[in-house]
Amino acid sequence: MRQSNWVTPERAAEASDVTKHRQPGPKSARTCGHASAPRRICDLCLDADASGQPFLACSLACLTAHLADAHGASGGPRAAPARALDYQGRVNDNVAQNREWYAGHRAQVTTIVGAAGRGGDLCVLGAGNGSDLDLPALAERFTAFHLVDIDGEALERCRASAPATLRERLVLHPGIDLSGFARRLDEWGEAFPAEADLGRAAQPAIHGILNELIGQLGRSFDVVVSTCVLSQLAVPYHRAWILSASDWANLHAALTAVHLMTLAGATKPGGTGILIFDVLSSKHAPALRELDGAPPEDVAAFAARHAAEGGRGDPDPADLLARLTSMDRLFEAPRLLAPWVWNIGAETQLVYALVFRRAGRPERLDEAPA
């Protein structure tokens, strides 16, 4: 789901824009006052300060002092991973009543996922409140549902909203950080790793996610779908750090690698993996607003025109398809489906789906892809 059901509120989106590829200047932010360049941003100020002026700190020590002074953290401020989870929980709770935003998107996703169903189990990465999927309709295609999200309360809402006869078929997997690096929020905020070190950190991150997800089961799943969580994996980091453009690019590449390998590792050989991902917002391409309810051929024509004019998605669908195609040890016959638009209230998103067959022989957990 968007914002793991992260449908980003306006403030969060603005905060991400502020820190994404440039350092805010003195007119747009408050600072700790030290000569050292700022490295940290106070995520609590982003939520509390309607003026849009974040507080920037040069170190964790300065940020900790600010948190205690400005936000009255008794007993010391909570660590960044806990604050990130709190934020996501608030966002999920805020959008839980907006299921109507998902109607057209939910129909698209349910059709794609249902087509892969053959009576086995379905694993949903980033299930959140469950708004992306019509679970009663999919219950005709799958015997069990494994719902994965870092926000356990959102998963409980998903189960509570399901028909009573379906609830016993829902297996919840709360507390799983699909980015793989959330526990590093404070550590890497002090010193972001070099590209090679970041790459080396990806493998244990992948194994950690897969161990949490399938370690006790001892097996992978027939169908695994990632529901618009890929673009949201970096949000906690954008709310916490100030990095150079090259470091942000390296982080995004690592998050994408971790997620693709998680998707592959959770899908049993011969099973189906589905990556559903948003690539473009009407905030950057206002013409998307005009496509709400438009026929599929109009959406496809817009996407082709946008690409022909030099526009790119983030992530780029063609690049992702090429990446999966080149990794035929894991991803067999990947195909990119036609895009659709998703009106989430404050903005409209352009969304794609990549579908693949998981290649390879049955693997033990300790042989999961790296």
Side-chain angles (χ1 to χ4, degrees):
M1 295 187 175
R2 182 74 177 158
Q3 279 275 18
S4 175
N5 276 5
W6 292 94
V7 179
T8 314
E10 201 75 14
R11 279 295 288 122
E14 291 172 359
S16 181
D17 288 344
V18 165
T19 61
K20 198 164 189 177
H21 295 300
R22 61 183 176 89
Q23 293 187 358
K27 292 183 179 180
S28 62
R30 298 162 291 149
T31 72
C32 62
H34 292 142
S36 300
R39 301 187 59 85
R40 307 296 299 268
I41 184 165
C42 177
D43 49 298
L44 297 186
C45 283
L46 292 177
D47 300 332
D49 186 357
S51 70
Q53 293 185 326
F55 178 86
L56 307 183
C58 66
S59 67
L60 178 59
C62 285
L63 178 62
T64 300
H66 164 78
L67 288 168
D69 180 57
H71 301 285
S74 59
R78 303 184 74 194
R83 299 198 308 274
L85 177 57
D86 288 345
Y87 169 74
Q88 182 164 345
R90 293 194 302 273
V91 171
N92 284 339
D93 184 56
N94 185 52
V95 303
Q97 306 306 315
N98 296 323
R99 190 173 171 84
E100 67 274 10
W101 287 355
Y102 295 77
H105 172 72
R106 182 167 53 247
Q108 291 277 358
V109 174
T110 299
T111 297
I112 293 168
V113 174
R118 302 288 191 279
D121 50 20
L122 170 66
C123 175
V124 184
L125 303 179
N129 296 315
S131 301
D132 287 280
L133 298 171
D134 185 341
L135 292 177
L138 291 171
E140 301 176 5
R141 305 290 293 174
F142 298 94
T143 57
F145 299 85
H146 291 259
L147 308 180
V148 184
D149 204 280
I150 196 170
D151 184 0
E153 291 184 4
L155 294 179
E156 291 290 354
R157 284 193 294 269
C158 176
R159 178 158 58 187
S161 67
T165 55
L166 181 55
R167 289 173 198 161
E168 64 182 17
R169 294 162 61 183
L170 305 182
V171 182
L172 308 187
H173 300 266
I176 296 182
D177 164 35
L178 291 172
S179 79
F181 301 130
R183 64 186 179 86
R184 309 274 200 155
L185 271 166
D186 279 329
E187 174 192 351
W188 286 358
E190 292 295 274
F192 190 73
E195 183 177 5
D197 294 329
L198 185 60
R200 282 189 287 270
Q203 183 170 346
I206 297 162
H207 280 270
I209 296 169
L210 292 175
N211 270 296
E212 284 190 84
L213 178 56
I214 63 179
Q216 290 185 340
L217 294 174
R219 62 174 178 81
S220 44
F221 304 100
D222 297 292
V223 177
V224 181
V225 57
S226 168
T227 53
C228 286
V229 70
L230 177 59
S231 65
Q232 303 308 304
L233 294 177
V235 168
Y237 308 95
H238 283 293
R239 286 173 51 83
W241 298 343
I242 299 171
L243 299 178
S244 67
S246 60
D247 282 345
W248 280 128
N250 290 340
L251 176 67
H252 292 167
L255 292 173
T256 298
V258 167
H259 198 57
L260 291 178
M261 293 303 97
T262 298
L263 184 59
T267 308
K268 75 177 186 181
T272 300
I274 305 170
L275 178 68
I276 296 173
F277 57 107
D278 51 283
V279 304
L280 184 65
S281 167
S282 58
K283 291 182 177 181
H284 305 292
L288 273 173
R289 277 295 197 188
E290 302 170 9
L291 293 173
D292 191 22
E297 55 269 24
D298 288 359
V299 179
F302 166 85
R305 186 168 60 252
H306 178 77
E309 293 172 353
R312 289 177 61 86
D314 183 14
D316 183 80
D319 287 352
L320 276 180
L321 177 61
R323 184 169 182 172
L324 267 62
T325 300
S326 70
M327 301 170 66
D328 55 3
R329 180 178 68 88
L330 296 174
F331 304 99
E332 184 176 300
R335 63 189 190 279
L336 186 66
L337 305 187
W340 65 92
V341 294
W342 176 19
N343 185 337
I344 58 173
E347 58 188 287
T348 298
Q349 297 281 339
L350 183 66
V351 183
Y352 282 84
L354 268 170
V355 182
F356 65 89
R357 182 179 181 273
R358 174 66 160 88
R361 60 180 176 81
E363 295 172 328
R364 300 192 309 272
L365 184 59
D366 61 3
E367 296 177 322

